[in-house]
Amino acid sequence: MSLPGFPDAAPLAGLTGGLLIGLAAAIMLLGAGRIAGVSGIAARAFGLADSSMPRTGAWAFVIGLPLGALIVTRLTDTPAPSFAAPITLVIAGLIVGIGTRLGSGCTSGHGVCGMSRLSQRSLVATATFMITGFATVALMNAAF
Amino acid sequence: MRQLLIPLASGTIFGAGLTIGGMTDPARVRGFLDLFRAWDPTLAFVMGGAVLVMALAWMVQRRMLRPAFADAFSLPDRNDLTARLIGGSALFGIGWGIAGLCPGPGFAALAIAPGSAAIFVAAMLAGMLAVRLVEGRN
């Protein structure tokens, strides 16, 4: 299915993926009573954050992420995406790591779990990282 | 066992959703962030779908005394807007825009492009460690 005016968009795949992400976060919330925020849970798994979440549970969540990706890539033939050069990945990774700890969350915790709860902090955080994300890509496109 | 099964199920479905939705494809993510050229709205559908389901989940949560498989809810209750929250989120958006990866897709991509994803994840953990070390001295 395509979206008129946006030949590259995959709205149905996007919506399907989004519903699954929402289901995953709902299982965490209603089953374990916790926010499915990837940056926080990952920091907990690697001993980089204090949290009441058991570390084994944090590890189970983190291991599930590539496991789910593996299942999807095995069942479908999606073309292999291309990634940035190593040095770019290092710079981006460092900034994402520092930013998500200072900002107490990322796209999942603030964007999905917090926004759907109308958390003031998450609404502001999401608006902020969207704006700087848009600006970063615009600046990089202008510069390179 | 439930202590492991719930997060494992959540993480696995999360990773599958990220992959189906295109979040593990940096070009797709940067296409969404490329507002001023050939904008790709796919990620708006990802976010919309996820927020829709979670909005329903929060409605159910308000009627529950405790989670299905845990003793109590353990949820953030802060409401204060701080420079740290806004500055950190601003930084995160910059990093997200540079490589088209955020934390969830970084881990999920370990099953798609292990080399590239491992570099991103290692650097991200180093950034988290840096915050931990600096704050530990305060």
Side-chain angles (χ1 to χ4, degrees):
Chain A
M1 199 183 96
S2 65
L3 200 66
F6 299 100
D8 295 331
L12 198 60
L15 186 64
T16 307
L19 293 172
L20 281 173
I21 293 168
L23 173 66
I27 288 171
M28 187 65 105
L29 174 66
L30 303 179
R34 293 181 185 279
I35 297 287
V38 176
S39 57
I41 295 177
R44 173 61 179 157
F46 287 88
L48 301 172
D50 299 315
S51 157
S52 61
M53 184 173 191
R55 266 185 93 174
T56 48
W59 269 109
F61 179 83
V62 168
I63 289 168
L65 294 169
L67 188 62
L70 185 69
I71 293 168
V72 170
T73 50
R74 283 291 162 90
L75 294 179
T76 62
D77 48 65
T78 36
S82 61
F83 288 77
I87 181 67
T88 310
L89 291 170
V90 168
I91 294 166
L94 279 171
I95 298 174
V96 167
I98 294 168
T100 51
R101 288 318 296 150
L102 292 178
S104 307
C106 57
T107 348
S108 50
H110 282 311
V112 174
C113 299
M115 285 225 297
S116 59
R117 193 189 187 193
L118 299 177
S119 150
Q120 176 178 267
R121 278 170 62 84
S122 291
L123 292 169
V124 169
T126 305
T128 304
F129 66 65
M130 296 282 291
I131 288 168
T132 57
F134 287 136
T136 301
V137 171
L139 283 173
M140 285 175 75
N141 283 337
F144 303 112
Chain B
M1 203 58 197
R2 284 168 174 179
Q3 292 257 359
L4 285 181
L5 279 180
I6 293 293
L8 183 64
S10 174
T12 305
I13 296 168
F14 209 115
L18 289 170
T19 310
I20 292 170
M23 299 280 298
T24 50
D25 180 354
R28 175 76 76 192
V29 175
R30 296 190 84 242
F32 173 74
L33 293 174
D34 193 1
L35 202 53
F36 305 107
R37 294 197 315 182
W39 187 54
D40 179 347
T42 303
L43 261 63
F45 288 85
V46 179
M47 192 58 102
V51 166
L52 183 75
V53 176
M54 268 307 282
L56 295 172
W58 283 114
M59 290 168 66
V60 174
Q61 187 270 336
R62 279 193 284 271
R63 292 160 190 272
M64 292 169 75
L65 294 174
R66 41 170 288 190
F69 303 110
D71 294 331
F73 284 102
S74 180
L75 300 169
D77 54 4
R78 285 177 63 175
N79 203 29
D80 53 330
L81 301 177
T82 62
R84 180 190 155 108
L85 173 82
I86 294 165
S89 297
L91 268 182
F92 163 50
I94 292 170
W96 190 33
I98 289 175
L101 284 171
C102 53
F107 282 106
L110 287 169
I112 296 167
S116 297
I119 293 171
F120 175 81
V121 166
M124 179 176 78
L125 293 171
M128 290 179 171
L129 176 65
V131 173
R132 178 81 160 172
L133 292 175
V134 169
E135 302 213 308
R137 283 193 219 113
N138 292 338

mmCIF file of all heavy atoms in Angstrom, chain A residues 25-72:
data_model
loop_
_atom_site.group_PDB
_atom_site.id
_atom_site.type_symbol
_atom_site.label_atom_id
_atom_site.label_comp_id
_atom_site.label_asym_id
_atom_site.label_seq_id
_atom_site.Cartn_x
_atom_site.Cartn_y
_atom_site.Cartn_z
ATOM 1 N N ALA A 25 4.777 -2.587 24.599
ATOM 2 C CA ALA A 25 4.820 -1.656 25.740
ATOM 3 C C ALA A 25 3.650 -1.920 26.687
ATOM 4 O O ALA A 25 3.786 -1.780 27.910
ATOM 5 C CB ALA A 25 4.804 -0.212 25.231
ATOM 6 N N ALA A 26 2.499 -2.318 26.125
ATOM 7 C CA ALA A 26 1.326 -2.619 26.953
ATOM 8 C C ALA A 26 1.564 -3.870 27.800
ATOM 9 O O ALA A 26 1.147 -3.935 28.962
ATOM 10 C CB ALA A 26 0.095 -2.802 26.061
ATOM 11 N N ILE A 27 2.237 -4.872 27.232
ATOM 12 C CA ILE A 27 2.569 -6.096 27.981
ATOM 13 C C ILE A 27 3.473 -5.743 29.165
ATOM 14 O O ILE A 27 3.277 -6.225 30.284
ATOM 15 C CB ILE A 27 3.246 -7.130 27.045
ATOM 16 C CG1 ILE A 27 2.212 -7.713 26.075
ATOM 17 C CG2 ILE A 27 3.921 -8.243 27.857
ATOM 18 C CD1 ILE A 27 2.810 -8.580 24.975
ATOM 19 N N MET A 28 4.450 -4.876 28.907
ATOM 20 C CA MET A 28 5.354 -4.461 29.984
ATOM 21 C C MET A 28 4.593 -3.696 31.064
ATOM 22 O O MET A 28 4.795 -3.922 32.265
ATOM 23 C CB MET A 28 6.477 -3.597 29.404
ATOM 24 C CG MET A 28 7.555 -3.265 30.397
ATOM 25 S SD MET A 28 8.464 -4.727 30.940
ATOM 26 C CE MET A 28 9.970 -4.514 30.027
ATOM 27 N N LEU A 29 3.706 -2.799 30.638
ATOM 28 C CA LEU A 29 2.960 -1.977 31.603
ATOM 29 C C LEU A 29 1.970 -2.824 32.412
ATOM 30 O O LEU A 29 1.981 -2.786 33.649
ATOM 31 C CB LEU A 29 2.201 -0.858 30.867
ATOM 32 C CG LEU A 29 1.271 -0.012 31.747
ATOM 33 C CD1 LEU A 29 2.064 0.788 32.765
ATOM 34 C CD2 LEU A 29 0.423 0.927 30.892
ATOM 35 N N LEU A 30 1.127 -3.575 31.726
ATOM 36 C CA LEU A 30 0.049 -4.289 32.426
ATOM 37 C C LEU A 30 0.547 -5.593 33.046
ATOM 38 O O LEU A 30 -0.034 -6.075 34.017
ATOM 39 C CB LEU A 30 -1.106 -4.566 31.452
ATOM 40 C CG LEU A 30 -1.692 -3.308 30.782
ATOM 41 C CD1 LEU A 30 -2.806 -3.684 29.810
ATOM 42 C CD2 LEU A 30 -2.191 -2.319 31.825
ATOM 43 N N GLY A 31 1.631 -6.157 32.482
ATOM 44 C CA GLY A 31 2.161 -7.409 33.026
ATOM 45 C C GLY A 31 3.151 -7.175 34.150
ATOM 46 O O GLY A 31 3.031 -7.766 35.229
ATOM 47 N N ALA A 32 4.137 -6.309 33.902
ATOM 48 C CA ALA A 32 5.205 -6.107 34.885
ATOM 49 C C ALA A 32 5.067 -4.785 35.632
ATOM 50 O O ALA A 32 5.804 -4.534 36.583
ATOM 51 C CB ALA A 32 6.568 -6.179 34.190
ATOM 52 N N GLY A 33 4.141 -3.930 35.180
ATOM 53 C CA GLY A 33 3.917 -2.661 35.873
ATOM 54 C C GLY A 33 4.993 -1.634 35.604
ATOM 55 O O GLY A 33 5.200 -0.732 36.414
ATOM 56 N N ARG A 34 5.669 -1.761 34.455
ATOM 57 C CA ARG A 34 6.793 -0.868 34.167
ATOM 58 C C ARG A 34 6.686 -0.225 32.785
ATOM 59 O O ARG A 34 5.960 -0.701 31.919
ATOM 60 C CB ARG A 34 8.110 -1.641 34.229
ATOM 61 C CG ARG A 34 8.432 -2.116 35.614
ATOM 62 C CD ARG A 34 9.752 -2.852 35.683
ATOM 63 N NE ARG A 34 9.919 -3.380 37.029
ATOM 64 C CZ ARG A 34 10.354 -2.657 38.050
ATOM 65 N NH1 ARG A 34 10.694 -1.393 37.874
ATOM 66 N NH2 ARG A 34 10.454 -3.185 39.247
ATOM 67 N N ILE A 35 7.472 0.847 32.609
ATOM 68 C CA ILE A 35 7.575 1.542 31.334
ATOM 69 C C ILE A 35 8.566 0.797 30.445
ATOM 70 O O ILE A 35 9.663 0.477 30.891
ATOM 71 C CB ILE A 35 8.101 2.987 31.558
ATOM 72 C CG1 ILE A 35 7.113 3.803 32.405
ATOM 73 C CG2 ILE A 35 8.415 3.675 30.237
ATOM 74 C CD1 ILE A 35 5.875 4.211 31.687
ATOM 75 N N ALA A 36 8.159 0.527 29.190
ATOM 76 C CA ALA A 36 9.075 -0.118 28.246
ATOM 77 C C ALA A 36 9.930 0.952 27.577
ATOM 78 O O ALA A 36 9.774 1.249 26.403
ATOM 79 C CB ALA A 36 8.291 -0.928 27.207
ATOM 80 N N GLY A 37 10.822 1.540 28.356
ATOM 81 C CA GLY A 37 11.734 2.553 27.816
ATOM 82 C C GLY A 37 13.083 1.902 27.554
ATOM 83 O O GLY A 37 13.741 1.435 28.487
ATOM 84 N N VAL A 38 13.477 1.840 26.298
ATOM 85 C CA VAL A 38 14.660 1.057 25.947
ATOM 86 C C VAL A 38 15.939 1.626 26.575
ATOM 87 O O VAL A 38 16.749 0.880 27.130
ATOM 88 C CB VAL A 38 14.837 0.945 24.415
ATOM 89 C CG1 VAL A 38 16.120 0.202 24.078
ATOM 90 C CG2 VAL A 38 13.633 0.229 23.814
ATOM 91 N N SER A 39 16.126 2.953 26.518
ATOM 92 C CA SER A 39 17.387 3.498 27.044
ATOM 93 C C SER A 39 17.523 3.222 28.544
ATOM 94 O O SER A 39 18.595 2.841 29.017
ATOM 95 C CB SER A 39 17.504 4.995 26.752
ATOM 96 O OG SER A 39 16.406 5.715 27.278
ATOM 97 N N GLY A 40 16.441 3.383 29.291
ATOM 98 C CA GLY A 40 16.491 3.143 30.729
ATOM 99 C C GLY A 40 16.710 1.679 31.068
ATOM 100 O O GLY A 40 17.504 1.345 31.949
ATOM 101 N N ILE A 41 16.002 0.797 30.356
ATOM 102 C CA ILE A 41 16.131 -0.635 30.626
ATOM 103 C C ILE A 41 17.517 -1.129 30.232
ATOM 104 O O ILE A 41 18.142 -1.928 30.949
ATOM 105 C CB ILE A 41 15.013 -1.439 29.911
ATOM 106 C CG1 ILE A 41 13.643 -1.059 30.485
ATOM 107 C CG2 ILE A 41 15.253 -2.939 30.040
ATOM 108 C CD1 ILE A 41 12.460 -1.742 29.802
ATOM 109 N N ALA A 42 18.047 -0.619 29.098
ATOM 110 C CA ALA A 42 19.390 -1.010 28.674
ATOM 111 C C ALA A 42 20.423 -0.539 29.695
ATOM 112 O O ALA A 42 21.336 -1.287 30.058
ATOM 113 C CB ALA A 42 19.702 -0.445 27.287
ATOM 114 N N ALA A 43 20.276 0.692 30.161
ATOM 115 C CA ALA A 43 21.209 1.216 31.165
ATOM 116 C C ALA A 43 21.157 0.351 32.421
ATOM 117 O O ALA A 43 22.181 0.044 33.030
ATOM 118 C CB ALA A 43 20.881 2.668 31.487
ATOM 119 N N ARG A 44 19.960 -0.077 32.789
ATOM 120 C CA ARG A 44 19.797 -0.949 33.948
ATOM 121 C C ARG A 44 20.487 -2.301 33.709
ATOM 122 O O ARG A 44 21.200 -2.816 34.572
ATOM 123 C CB ARG A 44 18.302 -1.161 34.236
ATOM 124 C CG ARG A 44 17.998 -2.178 35.307
ATOM 125 C CD ARG A 44 18.590 -1.782 36.634
ATOM 126 N NE ARG A 44 18.289 -2.750 37.691
ATOM 127 C CZ ARG A 44 19.018 -2.896 38.789
ATOM 128 N NH1 ARG A 44 20.079 -2.117 38.982
ATOM 129 N NH2 ARG A 44 18.691 -3.777 39.691
ATOM 130 N N ALA A 45 20.294 -2.874 32.528
ATOM 131 C CA ALA A 45 20.881 -4.185 32.218
ATOM 132 C C ALA A 45 22.399 -4.139 32.325
ATOM 133 O O ALA A 45 23.020 -5.062 32.860
ATOM 134 C CB ALA A 45 20.464 -4.629 30.813
ATOM 135 N N PHE A 46 22.990 -3.042 31.839
ATOM 136 C CA PHE A 46 24.449 -2.943 31.831
ATOM 137 C C PHE A 46 25.010 -2.305 33.104
ATOM 138 O O PHE A 46 26.185 -1.951 33.163
ATOM 139 C CB PHE A 46 24.915 -2.165 30.592
ATOM 140 C CG PHE A 46 24.794 -2.960 29.307
ATOM 141 C CD1 PHE A 46 23.612 -2.946 28.572
ATOM 142 C CD2 PHE A 46 25.852 -3.740 28.855
ATOM 143 C CE1 PHE A 46 23.495 -3.690 27.394
ATOM 144 C CE2 PHE A 46 25.741 -4.482 27.693
ATOM 145 C CZ PHE A 46 24.558 -4.460 26.957
ATOM 146 N N GLY A 47 24.155 -2.128 34.109
ATOM 147 C CA GLY A 47 24.632 -1.590 35.381
ATOM 148 C C GLY A 47 24.976 -0.116 35.330
ATOM 149 O O GLY A 47 25.799 0.362 36.101
ATOM 150 N N LEU A 48 24.345 0.614 34.401
ATOM 151 C CA LEU A 48 24.662 2.031 34.224
ATOM 152 C C LEU A 48 23.570 2.940 34.764
ATOM 153 O O LEU A 48 23.607 4.151 34.548
ATOM 154 C CB LEU A 48 24.900 2.324 32.734
ATOM 155 C CG LEU A 48 26.028 1.510 32.093
ATOM 156 C CD1 LEU A 48 26.057 1.717 30.584
ATOM 157 C CD2 LEU A 48 27.362 1.884 32.713
ATOM 158 N N ALA A 49 22.591 2.374 35.444
ATOM 159 C CA ALA A 49 21.531 3.193 36.028
ATOM 160 C C ALA A 49 20.964 2.478 37.242
ATOM 161 O O ALA A 49 20.942 1.242 37.289
ATOM 162 C CB ALA A 49 20.426 3.450 35.012
ATOM 163 N N ASP A 50 20.520 3.256 38.204
ATOM 164 C CA ASP A 50 19.845 2.673 39.356
ATOM 165 C C ASP A 50 18.373 2.527 39.008
ATOM 166 O O ASP A 50 17.765 3.428 38.441
ATOM 167 C CB ASP A 50 20.001 3.581 40.570
ATOM 168 C CG ASP A 50 21.470 3.754 40.929
ATOM 169 O OD1 ASP A 50 22.187 2.746 40.952
ATOM 170 O OD2 ASP A 50 21.887 4.908 41.157
ATOM 171 N N SER A 51 17.809 1.387 39.306
ATOM 172 C CA SER A 51 16.408 1.145 38.994
ATOM 173 C C SER A 51 15.922 0.005 39.863
ATOM 174 O O SER A 51 16.700 -0.843 40.286
ATOM 175 C CB SER A 51 16.273 0.780 37.511
ATOM 176 O OG SER A 51 15.090 0.062 37.284
ATOM 177 N N SER A 52 14.624 0.000 40.117
ATOM 178 C CA SER A 52 14.070 -1.092 40.905
ATOM 179 C C SER A 52 13.832 -2.332 40.049
ATOM 180 O O SER A 52 13.486 -3.391 40.556
ATOM 181 C CB SER A 52 12.752 -0.647 41.552
ATOM 182 O OG SER A 52 11.824 -0.314 40.547
ATOM 183 N N MET A 53 14.035 -2.196 38.722
ATOM 184 C CA MET A 53 13.797 -3.340 37.844
ATOM 185 C C MET A 53 14.894 -4.384 38.056
ATOM 186 O O MET A 53 16.074 -4.054 38.061
ATOM 187 C CB MET A 53 13.809 -2.890 36.383
ATOM 188 C CG MET A 53 13.464 -4.002 35.407
ATOM 189 S SD MET A 53 13.296 -3.391 33.717
ATOM 190 C CE MET A 53 12.569 -4.826 32.923
ATOM 191 N N PRO A 54 14.512 -5.668 38.204
ATOM 192 C CA PRO A 54 15.530 -6.710 38.348
ATOM 193 C C PRO A 54 16.428 -6.737 37.106
ATOM 194 O O PRO A 54 15.942 -6.604 35.987
ATOM 195 C CB PRO A 54 14.711 -8.004 38.455
ATOM 196 C CG PRO A 54 13.332 -7.579 38.819
ATOM 197 C CD PRO A 54 13.144 -6.209 38.262
ATOM 198 N N ARG A 55 17.746 -6.889 37.326
ATOM 199 C CA ARG A 55 18.657 -6.842 36.182
ATOM 200 C C ARG A 55 18.414 -7.978 35.199
ATOM 201 O O ARG A 55 18.569 -7.801 33.990
ATOM 202 C CB ARG A 55 20.117 -6.878 36.663
ATOM 203 C CG ARG A 55 20.688 -5.487 36.812
ATOM 204 C CD ARG A 55 22.149 -5.528 37.167
ATOM 205 N NE ARG A 55 22.993 -5.452 35.972
ATOM 206 C CZ ARG A 55 24.324 -5.352 36.039
ATOM 207 N NH1 ARG A 55 24.926 -5.333 37.188
ATOM 208 N NH2 ARG A 55 25.034 -5.268 34.935
ATOM 209 N N THR A 56 18.007 -9.138 35.714
ATOM 210 C CA THR A 56 17.747 -10.259 34.798
ATOM 211 C C THR A 56 16.585 -9.931 33.870
ATOM 212 O O THR A 56 16.605 -10.260 32.680
ATOM 213 C CB THR A 56 17.408 -11.536 35.591
ATOM 214 O OG1 THR A 56 16.430 -11.204 36.583
ATOM 215 C CG2 THR A 56 18.624 -12.120 36.259
ATOM 216 N N GLY A 57 15.575 -9.260 34.410
ATOM 217 C CA GLY A 57 14.436 -8.855 33.590
ATOM 218 C C GLY A 57 14.850 -7.839 32.543
ATOM 219 O O GLY A 57 14.394 -7.892 31.392
ATOM 220 N N ALA A 58 15.729 -6.903 32.941
ATOM 221 C CA ALA A 58 16.214 -5.901 31.995
ATOM 222 C C ALA A 58 16.972 -6.578 30.856
ATOM 223 O O ALA A 58 16.806 -6.235 29.681
ATOM 224 C CB ALA A 58 17.111 -4.895 32.713
ATOM 225 N N TRP A 59 17.789 -7.570 31.213
ATOM 226 C CA TRP A 59 18.517 -8.328 30.188
ATOM 227 C C TRP A 59 17.560 -9.074 29.260
ATOM 228 O O TRP A 59 17.768 -9.126 28.043
ATOM 229 C CB TRP A 59 19.489 -9.314 30.834
ATOM 230 C CG TRP A 59 20.834 -8.725 31.033
ATOM 231 C CD1 TRP A 59 21.410 -8.375 32.213
ATOM 232 C CD2 TRP A 59 21.774 -8.372 30.010
ATOM 233 N NE1 TRP A 59 22.648 -7.819 31.987
ATOM 234 C CE2 TRP A 59 22.899 -7.805 30.645
ATOM 235 C CE3 TRP A 59 21.762 -8.465 28.614
ATOM 236 C CZ2 TRP A 59 24.010 -7.354 29.944
ATOM 237 C CZ3 TRP A 59 22.868 -8.009 27.908
ATOM 238 C CH2 TRP A 59 23.973 -7.465 28.568
ATOM 239 N N ALA A 60 16.510 -9.667 29.823
ATOM 240 C CA ALA A 60 15.550 -10.416 29.001
ATOM 241 C C ALA A 60 14.916 -9.503 27.963
ATOM 242 O O ALA A 60 14.756 -9.866 26.797
ATOM 243 C CB ALA A 60 14.476 -11.048 29.890
ATOM 244 N N PHE A 61 14.577 -8.265 28.385
ATOM 245 C CA PHE A 61 13.977 -7.303 27.451
ATOM 246 C C PHE A 61 14.967 -6.936 26.354
ATOM 247 O O PHE A 61 14.632 -6.944 25.160
ATOM 248 C CB PHE A 61 13.527 -6.054 28.206
ATOM 249 C CG PHE A 61 12.912 -4.993 27.327
ATOM 250 C CD1 PHE A 61 11.579 -5.060 26.953
ATOM 251 C CD2 PHE A 61 13.682 -3.929 26.863
ATOM 252 C CE1 PHE A 61 11.007 -4.084 26.133
ATOM 253 C CE2 PHE A 61 13.123 -2.946 26.041
ATOM 254 C CZ PHE A 61 11.787 -3.025 25.686
ATOM 255 N N VAL A 62 16.216 -6.628 26.754
ATOM 256 C CA VAL A 62 17.233 -6.192 25.791
ATOM 257 C C VAL A 62 17.543 -7.308 24.786
ATOM 258 O O VAL A 62 17.689 -7.055 23.588
ATOM 259 C CB VAL A 62 18.513 -5.744 26.531
ATOM 260 C CG1 VAL A 62 19.670 -5.567 25.562
ATOM 261 C CG2 VAL A 62 18.246 -4.438 27.285
ATOM 262 N N ILE A 63 17.611 -8.549 25.257
ATOM 263 C CA ILE A 63 17.897 -9.679 24.363
ATOM 264 C C ILE A 63 16.720 -9.910 23.409
ATOM 265 O O ILE A 63 16.899 -10.310 22.264
ATOM 266 C CB ILE A 63 18.210 -10.951 25.193
ATOM 267 C CG1 ILE A 63 19.578 -10.791 25.862
ATOM 268 C CG2 ILE A 63 18.169 -12.207 24.335
ATOM 269 C CD1 ILE A 63 19.877 -11.821 26.931
ATOM 270 N N GLY A 64 15.509 -9.615 23.892
ATOM 271 C CA GLY A 64 14.336 -9.776 23.045
ATOM 272 C C GLY A 64 14.357 -8.883 21.808
ATOM 273 O O GLY A 64 13.859 -9.276 20.747
ATOM 274 N N LEU A 65 14.944 -7.702 21.921
ATOM 275 C CA LEU A 65 14.934 -6.755 20.801
ATOM 276 C C LEU A 65 15.559 -7.341 19.524
ATOM 277 O O LEU A 65 14.897 -7.396 18.479
ATOM 278 C CB LEU A 65 15.620 -5.440 21.202
ATOM 279 C CG LEU A 65 14.900 -4.621 22.291
ATOM 280 C CD1 LEU A 65 15.786 -3.488 22.792
ATOM 281 C CD2 LEU A 65 13.583 -4.056 21.765
ATOM 282 N N PRO A 66 16.829 -7.811 19.561
ATOM 283 C CA PRO A 66 17.372 -8.432 18.346
ATOM 284 C C PRO A 66 16.698 -9.762 18.014
ATOM 285 O O PRO A 66 16.619 -10.143 16.843
ATOM 286 C CB PRO A 66 18.863 -8.634 18.675
ATOM 287 C CG PRO A 66 18.954 -8.565 20.158
ATOM 288 C CD PRO A 66 17.839 -7.675 20.617
ATOM 289 N N LEU A 67 16.180 -10.451 19.036
ATOM 290 C CA LEU A 67 15.474 -11.713 18.773
ATOM 291 C C LEU A 67 14.239 -11.448 17.902
ATOM 292 O O LEU A 67 13.985 -12.162 16.922
ATOM 293 C CB LEU A 67 15.071 -12.340 20.112
ATOM 294 C CG LEU A 67 14.498 -13.752 20.079
ATOM 295 C CD1 LEU A 67 15.526 -14.734 19.523
ATOM 296 C CD2 LEU A 67 14.061 -14.181 21.480
ATOM 297 N N GLY A 68 13.481 -10.418 18.248
ATOM 298 C CA GLY A 68 12.300 -10.057 17.457
ATOM 299 C C GLY A 68 12.686 -9.642 16.053
ATOM 300 O O GLY A 68 12.015 -10.008 15.070
ATOM 301 N N ALA A 69 13.782 -8.883 15.944
ATOM 302 C CA ALA A 69 14.260 -8.448 14.627
ATOM 303 C C ALA A 69 14.680 -9.655 13.792
ATOM 304 O O ALA A 69 14.396 -9.733 12.591
ATOM 305 C CB ALA A 69 15.430 -7.473 14.783
ATOM 306 N N LEU A 70 15.325 -10.620 14.454
ATOM 307 C CA LEU A 70 15.787 -11.833 13.762
ATOM 308 C C LEU A 70 14.604 -12.625 13.213
ATOM 309 O O LEU A 70 14.618 -13.079 12.063
ATOM 310 C CB LEU A 70 16.596 -12.695 14.735
ATOM 311 C CG LEU A 70 17.260 -13.946 14.145
ATOM 312 C CD1 LEU A 70 18.390 -13.553 13.217
ATOM 313 C CD2 LEU A 70 17.779 -14.841 15.259
ATOM 314 N N ILE A 71 13.560 -12.767 14.036
ATOM 315 C CA ILE A 71 12.371 -13.511 13.603
ATOM 316 C C ILE A 71 11.752 -12.849 12.369
ATOM 317 O O ILE A 71 11.427 -13.514 11.384
ATOM 318 C CB ILE A 71 11.344 -13.600 14.761
ATOM 319 C CG1 ILE A 71 11.896 -14.475 15.887
ATOM 320 C CG2 ILE A 71 10.005 -14.138 14.261
ATOM 321 C CD1 ILE A 71 11.107 -14.398 17.194
ATOM 322 N N VAL A 72 11.640 -11.519 12.402
ATOM 323 C CA VAL A 72 11.017 -10.809 11.265
ATOM 324 C C VAL A 72 11.877 -10.944 10.008
ATOM 325 O O VAL A 72 11.349 -11.206 8.917
ATOM 326 C CB VAL A 72 10.803 -9.318 11.609
ATOM 327 C CG1 VAL A 72 10.390 -8.529 10.368
ATOM 328 C CG2 VAL A 72 9.743 -9.181 12.689
#
